[in-house]
């Protein structure tokens, strides 16, 4: 599981910082999460192949989370993309994007699908044989979702010395990895658990931005490997959090602690702050380990 931060600041882009956007690579999928202004420039800067992005998840319709989307959709068209693109988003975004394309007479030459969200409860919005994605209802000034990405359990691993000793034909190796007992070359039924090792533990990632402190999400994100949670304010500006429906670094850490996550990543910093390490120090008074998101930073969780 690899996370690339394309942008992690709130509100407006600056010379060296970008609004929210990130790419999650999990079990051979490349999912884009939010698409703030300048996202496609950062995709190029981080050498991420546009063609591998087939699903984009938009948390809400504040501009710093989707103003880069129409440009990216347009670029895909200019690159003669043929692969379909799925956008999971709040209701209303399809109208925004299609109006822009209509007025510019720039319809896509590839299949573009909008999966608009309206539910206020967590729901499964994507699933295949490798990964499942759920919404995380958040508490912001407009309808907002976070997203929970969970790998499905993979295949078992062959313990080759045991397989050879059991005299199993190579034609049955895949069956063993899939958890099936097989007959060996002598006609004896071999228990797959005796010649294979358990699969790698499935990884999980939760993205929560933007939101006020919301304990309701704890049950949804319980025990995830990595939690990205917005931390717009430091404690000295905590009085601004309820008014703007954002969180402080300490509140993000408290959610991480209650949910028993393995790692917390902070982001969505207000641009009023210059010293980001202060966010980490405040969060660490409640929870560890804490990492700071930064534009262009890669996190590997193997």
């Amino acid at each position: 599981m690899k996370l690339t931060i394309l942008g992690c600041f709130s509100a407006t882009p600056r010379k060296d910082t970008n609004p929210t956007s990130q790419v999650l690579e999990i079990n051979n999928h490349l999912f884009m999460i939010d698409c703030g202004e300048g996202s496609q420039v950062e995709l190029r800067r981080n050498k991420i192949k546009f063609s591998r992005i087939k699903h984009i998840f938009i948390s809400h319709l504040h501009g710093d989370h989707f103003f880069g989307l129409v440009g990216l959709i347009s670029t895909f068209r200019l690159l003669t993309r043929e692969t379909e693109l799925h956008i999971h988003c709040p209701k209303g975004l399809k109208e925004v994007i299609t109006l822009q394309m209509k007025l510019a007479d720039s319809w896509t030459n590839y299949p573009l699908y909008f999966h608009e969200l309206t539910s206020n409860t967590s729901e499964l919005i994507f699933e295949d044989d490798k990964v499942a994605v759920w919404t995380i209802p958040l508490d912001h000034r407009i309808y907002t979702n976070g997203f929970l990405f969970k790998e499905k359990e993979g295949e078992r691993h062959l313990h080759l010395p045991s397989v050879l000793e059991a005299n199993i034909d190579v034609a049955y190796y895949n069956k063993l990895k899939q958890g099936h007992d097989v007959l060996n070359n002598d006609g004896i039924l071999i228990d797959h658990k005796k010649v294979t090792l358990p699969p790698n533990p499935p990884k999980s990632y939760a993205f929560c931005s933007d939101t006020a402190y919301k304990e309701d999400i704890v049950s949804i994100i319980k025990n995830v490997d990595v939690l990205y949670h917005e931390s717009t304010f430091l404690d000295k500006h905590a009085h601004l959090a309820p008014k703007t429906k954002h969180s402080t670094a300490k509140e993000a850490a408290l959610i991480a602690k209650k949910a028993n996550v393995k790692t917390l990543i902070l982001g969505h910093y207000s641009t009023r702050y210059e010293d980001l390490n202060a966010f980490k120090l405040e969060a660490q008074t409640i929870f560890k380990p804490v990492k700071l998101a930064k534009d262009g930073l890669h996190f590997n969780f193997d």
Side-chain angles (χ1 to χ4, degrees):
M1 186 168 71
K2 179 181 178 181
L3 180 68
T4 300
I5 305 295
L6 305 179
C8 60
F9 283 77
S10 66
T12 60
R14 298 188 298 175
K15 182 180 69 171
D16 298 316
T17 65
N18 294 285
T20 302
S21 185
Q22 51 186 248
V23 173
L24 176 70
E25 186 170 359
I26 181 170
N27 213 329
N28 294 321
H29 283 287
L30 207 63
F31 295 128
M32 189 172 192
I33 310 169
D34 278 345
C35 189
E37 185 178 347
S39 292
Q40 63 176 305
V41 174
E42 294 305 312
L43 285 171
R44 293 188 184 280
R45 197 189 312 276
N46 287 277
K47 298 180 180 180
I48 295 172
K49 290 185 177 180
F50 286 18
S51 60
R52 289 193 60 199
I53 298 173
K54 299 177 183 178
H55 292 267
I56 299 176
F57 298 83
I58 302 296
S59 62
H60 64 295
L61 299 187
H62 281 160
D64 55 331
H65 293 260
F66 83 96
F67 275 173
L69 183 58
V70 71
L72 185 60
I73 290 172
S74 177
T75 294
F76 285 162
R77 173 179 176 271
L78 295 173
L79 294 176
T80 65
R81 179 188 178 106
E82 296 180 356
T83 307
E84 60 188 35
L85 178 65
H86 296 264
I87 300 175
H88 309 263
C89 58
K91 184 177 181 180
L93 185 57
K94 179 180 179 180
E95 180 182 359
V96 172
I97 298 298
T98 53
L99 178 60
Q100 289 178 297
M101 291 190 296
K102 176 183 176 182
L103 295 177
D105 193 20
S106 298
W107 299 105
T108 63
N109 51 1
Y110 57 89
L112 177 62
Y113 300 101
F114 289 87
H115 307 273
E116 294 192 306
L117 308 172
T118 59
S119 177
N120 290 310
T121 59
S122 181
E123 59 179 339
L124 180 67
I125 58 173
F126 171 79
E127 184 177 26
D128 64 8
D129 60 341
K130 294 182 178 180
V131 178
V133 184
W134 284 265
T135 57
I136 307 170
L138 300 176
D139 180 15
H140 196 41
R141 300 192 303 278
I142 60 174
Y143 178 74
T144 305
N145 285 302
F147 302 102
L148 172 63
F149 302 83
K150 298 185 73 172
E151 276 186 323
K152 294 186 176 180
E153 189 172 86
E155 293 185 335
R156 298 179 67 85
H157 302 286
L158 294 178
H159 185 252
L160 199 54
S162 300
V163 172
L164 295 175
E165 184 179 347
N167 194 25
I168 300 172
D169 191 278
V170 67
Y172 293 108
Y173 284 7
N174 281 335
K175 285 286 187 181
L176 289 172
K177 291 192 290 184
Q178 293 165 6
H180 299 287
D181 299 339
V182 301
L183 294 172
N184 70 359
N185 291 326
D186 302 313
I188 300 172
L189 187 65
I190 304 298
D191 183 347
H192 71 276
K193 293 181 180 178
K194 293 184 177 180
V195 294
T196 62
L197 301 173
N200 296 330
K203 299 288 186 181
S204 55
Y205 174 69
F207 169 87
C208 295
S209 183
D210 302 6
T211 184
Y213 179 77
K214 191 172 190 284
E215 283 193 14
D216 293 358
I217 69 173
V218 167
S219 61
I220 302 172
I221 64 174
K222 197 76 174 178
N223 300 321
V224 298
D225 290 285
V226 183
L227 167 64
Y228 175 96
H229 196 290
E230 77 124 286
S231 55
T232 305
F233 299 111
L234 292 174
D235 206 38
K236 62 184 177 182
H237 293 122
H239 63 283
L240 297 175
K243 299 177 184 178
T244 59
K245 292 288 187 176
H246 284 297
S247 299
T248 66
K250 283 186 177 180
E251 288 174 330
L254 191 56
I255 291 293
K257 182 178 180 179
K258 288 179 178 291
N260 192 39
V261 308
K262 292 181 181 178
T263 300
L264 170 64
I265 301 177
L266 300 177
H268 200 265
Y269 320 108
S270 168
T271 53
R272 60 169 45 84
Y273 304 110
E274 296 296 333
D275 179 19
L276 297 186
N277 198 52
F279 287 88
K280 184 175 183 178
L281 293 176
E282 287 195 359
Q284 283 179 330
T285 63
I286 295 173
F287 176 87
K288 294 180 182 179
V290 177
K291 297 182 182 294
L292 293 175
K294 186 178 180 181
D295 293 9
L297 200 61
H298 305 276
F299 296 96
N300 288 285
F301 301 95
D302 296 325

